Amino acid sequence: MRALTGPRTPRRGRSDSVHQLTYGDIKAAGDRIAGRVRPVAVAPLDVAGGEVWAALELLQHTGSFKARGAQNFVRAHREAGTFPDAGVTIASGGNAGLACAWAAQEQGVRATVFLPENAPAVKVARLRGYGAEVRLAGREYAEALAACEEFAASSGALASHAYDHPLVAAGAGTLLDEIRRQLPDLDTVVVSVGGGGLFAGVATAAREHGVRTVAVEPEGSQALHAAVAAGRPVDVPVDSVAADALGARRASAAALWAARQDGVRTALVADSEIVRARRLLWDGHRLAVEHAASTALAALTGGAYRPAEGERVCVVLCGANTDPGTLA
């Protein structure tokens, strides 16, 4: 298995995630983005019983973990001199686009971001604040992705991806090593799953250290579950309160590979539990998170994952790009 040593760009019409991530990929990403992302803070949570901690990745640049993968992708291409005049383009439910636009702006690179027409207004406004050109297309992430691919083909812009690229997933995986520096006796990390970039990266690093990974999806957006059942990535319908960030129709091949490894558990949670967990974080800790972030916690508060006695668990609160008014 070859190490990821340089930038790779998705080819139209197929997944690039046939590359199976290695811990070496994640270490290389950590070196590349050192000093350019905020080290994650961890804090105890008074929920679900037992010893539960939160990884406060909602405090990350651009408000989500996506900053890690975006920095790794943009810096790798900048180092290789592979940015075209048309810049970079990406399709996103919002967070990946924000991170890509932020990282591109730092490097003086043009960014064109495609979003579904129902993307939260707060994300659209922030994207424009980072200097990105925003284009709205379709009602789901998959439709925005198709429009992005067409734009990349016609303009020559470099296509990034919200989750299905090894540089992006490796960047996300750097989170796990930072958590372990503060929680060296960590037993289990719990992450939300949309397309699977965060999960694939974190699970790869977790396996290196003997840490269990729990991958949590909304019942109405279960691309990873469907892939595991089918033995290959397949399209699924998307209908969830967390669909603006966890609305991928298809999980990446890297996520499927990671889900098949020892030390990985999967869980499904209802929208009602996602909403309740989000409210618990606000009422009990004054943390305003996206539904995508509370999806991970909902596995614990709703009982989809029950830690053993003495198990040390860390839940990744992955993003905060939400309208606080919905918590009033």
Side-chain angles (χ1 to χ4, degrees), residues 94-262:
N95 285 345
L98 285 167
C100 183
W102 164 73
Q105 185 183 56
E106 279 200 340
Q107 295 295 316
V109 173
R110 293 172 56 189
T112 304
V113 181
F114 287 78
L115 302 179
E117 294 168 357
N118 57 355
V122 63
K123 294 184 180 181
V124 174
R126 290 194 66 196
L127 273 168
R128 289 176 174 147
Y130 288 127
E133 179 182 347
V134 179
R135 301 191 183 190
L136 304 179
R139 299 290 296 174
E140 293 183 11
Y141 166 76
E143 295 172 285
L145 177 59
C148 179
E149 289 175 339
E150 291 177 6
F151 173 77
S154 63
S155 69
L158 177 67
S160 184
H161 198 284
Y163 58 88
D164 195 0
H165 193 285
L167 287 169
V168 171
T174 61
L175 175 62
L176 193 280
D177 280 354
E178 291 184 14
I179 293 171
R180 285 192 69 255
R181 290 186 194 113
Q182 298 169 77
L183 300 173
D185 297 325
L186 180 68
D187 296 305
T188 304
V189 60
V190 184
V191 297
S192 303
V193 180
L198 175 63
F199 163 65
V202 166
T204 298
R207 188 170 63 253
E208 177 74 13
H209 301 296
V211 173
R212 177 186 297 108
T213 304
V214 179
V216 189
E217 294 177 285
E219 290 178 350
S221 183
Q222 45 181 288
L224 183 61
H225 265 73
V228 170
R232 59 185 175 84
V234 293
D235 286 347
V236 298
V238 174
D239 183 14
S240 170
V241 69
D244 65 313
L246 303 182
R249 285 188 191 170
R250 176 180 291 230
S252 70
L256 173 58
W257 185 85
R260 290 169 160 169
Q261 306 309 303
D262 292 339

Side-chain angles (χ1 to χ4, degrees), residues 33-131:
I33 69 176
R36 296 182 178 275
V37 297
R38 292 172 180 153
V40 69
V42 299
L45 286 178
D46 299 324
V47 297
E51 186 177 356
V52 179
W53 295 75
L56 303 178
E57 196 63 351
L58 73 163
L59 302 178
Q60 188 53 261
H61 291 292
T62 75
S64 86
F65 77 94
K66 297 282 190 180
R68 297 174 181 272
Q71 275 285 357
N72 196 38
F73 179 91
V74 168
R75 287 192 60 75
H77 280 284
R78 174 59 87 193
E79 289 168 4
T82 50
F83 268 117
D85 291 341
V88 63
T89 187
I90 189 170
S92 169
N95 285 345
L98 285 167
C100 183
W102 164 73
Q105 185 183 56
E106 279 200 340
Q107 295 295 316
V109 173
R110 293 172 56 189
T112 304
V113 181
F114 287 78
L115 302 179
E117 294 168 357
N118 57 355
V122 63
K123 294 184 180 181
V124 174
R126 290 194 66 196
L127 273 168
R128 289 176 174 147
Y130 288 127

